[in-house]
Amino acid sequence: MTADIEKLRFTISTLNRTDENYTEILEITQLQLKSMEKDKTLYVNTQEKIELLLMEGVTIELVDRFKQDIHSYSNVEKRAILLLAVKSISYDFKRNDFEIEYRLTPYVEIETEMQLN
């Protein structure tokens, strides 16, 4: 990406001002250069954030925690995860049935486990 940016800068510096389409070519090249520099900045910032996250032991512990089997969690942990995941609970009195809407993905295994306990 850096080589492409340098190539665009070189192209801008070598444009001939007397060319008929100089203004349009210059504008297009500058827009492309700005876009590439913006992408590069975004990439560098993202890479720095990833490196910071990898250096933090808490993040690794958190990821490892989610990789554990659901059955190894305590009931309190299961309830907390379930409560964070629930968006709404509705009860239909006519059918004597309820429906749970989740914020993210359904935690079916946790819900089943909680109903058994």
Side-chain angles (χ1 to χ4, degrees):
M1 181 175 278
T2 305
D4 293 333
I5 290 174
E6 290 303 317
K7 187 187 273 187
L8 280 174
R9 287 183 180 152
F10 177 76
T11 302
I12 290 173
S13 69
T14 58
L15 287 176
N16 189 353
R17 294 179 186 267
T18 58
D19 282 347
E20 182 180 331
N21 298 322
Y22 169 77
T23 329
E24 290 84 5
I25 294 172
L26 179 64
E27 184 178 337
I28 290 168
T29 311
Q30 286 175 336
L31 285 172
Q32 188 177 10
L33 179 62
K34 284 181 185 178
S35 175
M36 290 180 80
E37 287 174 339
K38 183 180 175 183
D39 288 347
K40 182 180 177 185
T41 304
L42 180 64
Y43 171 76
V44 168
N45 289 341
T46 304
Q47 186 177 9
E48 288 173 358
K49 288 178 184 178
I50 291 171
E51 288 173 4
L52 283 174
L53 288 172
L54 288 174
M55 290 190 320
E56 294 178 15
V58 176
T59 306
I60 294 170
E61 182 181 334
L62 184 63
V63 170
D64 287 343
R65 187 91 167 130
F66 280 109
K67 289 179 182 177
Q68 286 181 2
D69 184 23
I70 277 293
H71 302 290
S72 67
Y73 292 165
S74 70
N75 281 338
V76 173
E77 291 170 320
K78 291 174 189 174
R79 284 186 188 102
I81 292 172
L82 186 62
L83 287 175
L84 288 173
V86 172
K87 182 176 183 179
S88 67
I89 299 174
S90 58
Y91 187 80
D92 186 355
F93 289 99
K94 292 179 183 175
R95 294 185 307 157
N96 195 24
D97 191 26
F98 66 92
E99 182 179 315
I100 300 174
E101 185 179 343
Y102 295 94
R103 287 192 173 119
L104 303 171
T105 57
Y107 291 92
V108 177
E109 192 175 345
I110 295 175
E111 186 178 346
T112 305
E113 179 73 20
M114 293 305 299
Q115 290 175 356
L116 295 176
N117 291 331

